[in-house]
């Protein structure tokens, strides 16, 4: 299997699994308990927290463990909004946030919260003048992803952080796709809160974290004594140890990003040569190193994915990323892409396990399967 769906999830690293197994078998006690086994679990929790803080450039006290990025996103937005001053009750999102995060935005709006959305330009980049116009003195917080999960386009976090700071608003960044793929340091990123998920960086599913800058006003949304009273519920110690191990394995993120970007560029260039009808979105703007969002003419994405499956290649549909495949991607719609083209979107996302041999194999095998279909499409097109 050639796995090109790393933006959806990543295979857990063997070292991560090895780090978790002793926790499952030996450190099963509740870390809140005062007896010996509980204190041993508490020490393991503290060690994992210290590792997460060291790798991500924050203080251990700024790490709140969660069940994943979705919970961290919702907790950040609701907790920061609840702590905002009465005159600050408006929230600003980008219009291309993850579909789950946009559901939160709509839920807030339905409950009476004023919600605005920053548009994007045709190339997938954020409309900064529009952001500047929307971020005013009545804004409690801005919530922005660091990199789009479909197009891979990098968002201008530093510029939006400056706008939020000037307006006295808080900034929450969903760094689910960013952390592990490009260098990240919380202390200098400009955000008040940052969300991440372990399974996007060779860790286990079901665990993530919210990094909350020390001193930031925040009202907990799940009550309890754990995580310094900021997120109730017994901690998932095995998952947390897995998250820490995955972060500790990252090593030289810049070097790995450069390696993956070379493979992505070779893949895109090869597909464009062999299949001139290939269209690659957002190719001219800064993107995640391993994300390629494209279409082959207007071939149905289902047909393309079937051919890829036949070759033993795992990829995903742009539409499936946001709406189960029945509607065009909300990201491409926001970019002004016609529905028939958006419904042909395929996302190839490379990662740590991707090799030059994988790319060469795909370039040798896929074009012969698609060329006849593209010729047929040209013949029957109106």
């Amino acid at each position: 299997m050639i796995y090109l769906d790393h933006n959806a999830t990543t295979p857990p690293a063997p070292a991560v699994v090895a780090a978790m197994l002793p926790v499952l078998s030996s450190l099963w006690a509740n870390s809140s308990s005062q007896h010996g086994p509980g204190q041993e679990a508490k020490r393991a929790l503290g060690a994992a927290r210290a590792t997460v803080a060291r790798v991500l450039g924050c203080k251990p006290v700024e790490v709140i463990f969660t069940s994943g990025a979705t919970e961290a996103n919702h907790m950040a937005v609701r907790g920061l909004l609840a702590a905002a001053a009465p005159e600050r009750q408006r929230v600003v999102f980008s219009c291309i946030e993850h579909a789950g995060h946009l559901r939160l935005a709509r839920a807030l709006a339905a409950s009476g919260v004023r919600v605005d959305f920053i548009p994007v330009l045709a190339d997938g980049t954020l409309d900064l003048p529009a952001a500047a116009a929307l971020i005013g003195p009545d804004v409690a917080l801005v919530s922005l992803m660091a990199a789009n999960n479909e197009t891979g386009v990098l968002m201008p976090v530093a510029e939006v952080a400056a706008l939020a700071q000037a307006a006295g608003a808080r900034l929450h960044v969903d760094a689910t796709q960013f952390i592990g793929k490009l260098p990240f340091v919380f202390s200098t990123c400009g955000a008040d809160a940052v969300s991440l998920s372990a399974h996007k960086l060779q860790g286990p599913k079901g665990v993530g974290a919210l990094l909350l800058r020390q001193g930031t006003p925040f009202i907990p949304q799940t009550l309890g004594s754990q995580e310094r009273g900021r997120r109730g519920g017994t901690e998932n110690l095995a998952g947390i140890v897995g998250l820490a191990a995955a972060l500790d394995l990252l090593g030289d993120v810049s070097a790995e990003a450069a390696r993956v970007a070379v493979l992505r560029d070779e893949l895109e260039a090869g597909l464009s040569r062999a299949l001139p009808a290939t269209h690659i979105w957002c190719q001219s703007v800064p993107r995640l190193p391993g994300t390629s969002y494209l279409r082959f003419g207007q071939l149905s994405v289902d047909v393309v994915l079937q051919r890829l499956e036949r070759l033993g290649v795992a990829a995903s549909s742009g539409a499936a990323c946001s709406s189960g495949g029945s509607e065009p991607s909300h990201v491409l719609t926001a970019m002004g892409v016609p529905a028939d083209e958006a419904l042909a979107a395929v996302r190839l996302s490379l990662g740590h396990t991707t090799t030059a041999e994988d790319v060469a194999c795909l370039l040798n095998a896929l074009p012969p399967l698609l060329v006849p279909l593209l010729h047929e499409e040209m013949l029957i097109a109106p």
Side-chain angles (χ1 to χ4, degrees), residues 243-267:
L243 168 60
L247 286 168
D248 212 20
L249 285 172
L250 289 178
D252 190 338
V253 176
S254 294
E256 175 64 6
R259 183 191 75 85
V260 173
V262 167
L263 294 178
R264 180 204 60 197
D265 293 347
E266 290 176 354
L267 177 60

Side-chain angles (χ1 to χ4, degrees), residues 270-279 295-296 366-371 374:
L271 289 173
S272 296
R273 284 193 302 269
L275 302 166
T278 301
H279 177 82
R295 60 178 171 83
F296 302 103
L366 183 60
L369 290 179
L370 296 187
V371 164
L374 287 167

Side-chain angles (χ1 to χ4, degrees), residues 40-273:
E40 188 178 1
K42 184 177 181 179
R43 286 191 290 272
L45 178 62
R49 194 185 308 276
T51 297
V52 172
R54 172 177 53 80
V55 176
L56 296 179
C58 64
K59 303 172 185 176
V61 70
E62 294 176 322
V63 179
I64 306 171
F65 291 117
T66 68
S67 65
T70 298
E71 182 193 353
N73 285 341
H74 288 219
M75 184 166 69
V77 170
R78 291 188 180 277
L80 293 171
L81 176 61
E87 66 273 16
R88 291 183 177 274
Q89 291 298 308
R90 185 160 62 92
V91 183
V92 177
F93 294 80
S94 86
C95 69
I96 57 166
E97 295 300 300
H98 188 277
H101 206 40
L102 290 179
R103 290 186 69 175
L104 170 63
R106 291 192 291 270
L108 289 174
S111 70
V113 176
R114 287 190 58 200
V115 176
D116 286 309
F117 297 94
I118 306 170
V120 294
L121 305 177
D123 61 3
T125 58
L126 197 73
D127 187 336
L128 272 174
L134 285 171
I135 301 172
D138 62 333
V139 172
L141 75 144
V142 180
S143 188
L144 175 70
M145 54 175 30
N148 186 259
N149 53 301
E150 296 184 31
T151 64
V153 172
L154 304 182
M155 297 292 112
V157 171
E159 290 85 346
V160 174
L163 292 173
Q165 184 177 12
R170 301 294 179 183
L171 173 63
H172 162 251
V173 171
D174 176 2
T176 307
Q177 293 293 340
F178 190 97
I179 292 176
K181 296 182 177 120
L182 287 169
F184 172 84
V185 179
F186 179 65
S187 61
T188 59
C189 74
D192 299 287
V194 171
S195 305
L196 65 141
S197 193
H199 77 101
K200 303 294 187 179
L201 42 91
Q202 294 195 285
K205 297 181 184 68
V207 64
L210 176 66
L211 309 182
L212 181 66
R213 196 167 300 282
Q214 190 172 17
T216 301
F218 176 82
I219 294 181
Q221 298 301 295
T222 305
L223 303 182
S225 61
Q226 293 84 0
E227 298 302 293
R228 295 178 180 265
R230 297 169 298 184
R231 191 263 191 184
T234 302
E235 291 94 346
N236 171 11
L237 184 55
I240 289 167
V241 168
L243 168 60
L247 286 168
D248 212 20
L249 285 172
L250 289 178
D252 190 338
V253 176
S254 294
E256 175 64 6
R259 183 191 75 85
V260 173
V262 167
L263 294 178
R264 180 204 60 197
D265 293 347
E266 290 176 354
L267 177 60
E268 291 181 344
L271 289 173
S272 296
R273 284 193 302 269

Side-chain angles (χ1 to χ4, degrees), residues 355-382:
T355 66
E357 290 74 21
D358 291 338
V359 171
C361 181
L362 184 59
L363 290 177
N364 286 331
L366 183 60
L369 290 179
L370 296 187
V371 164
L373 299 176
L374 287 167
H375 286 168
E376 182 180 350
E377 178 191 52
M378 294 169 61
L379 289 171
I380 64 174

Side-chain angles (χ1 to χ4, degrees), residues 95-97 102 119-125 145 148-153 279-283 291-297 299 301 316-323 327-347:
C95 69
I96 57 166
E97 295 300 300
L102 290 179
V120 294
L121 305 177
D123 61 3
T125 58
M145 54 175 30
N148 186 259
N149 53 301
E150 296 184 31
T151 64
V153 172
H279 177 82
I280 302 165
W281 282 290
C282 310
Q283 193 175 21
T291 302
S292 181
Y293 204 39
L294 43 77
R295 60 178 171 83
F296 302 103
L299 285 181
V301 65
S316 62
S317 156
C321 293
S322 51
S323 59
E327 297 290 337
S329 155
H330 73 279
V331 176
L332 293 179
T333 298
M335 291 164 54
V337 176
D340 53 355
E341 295 181 7
L343 286 170
V346 178
R347 185 184 67 185

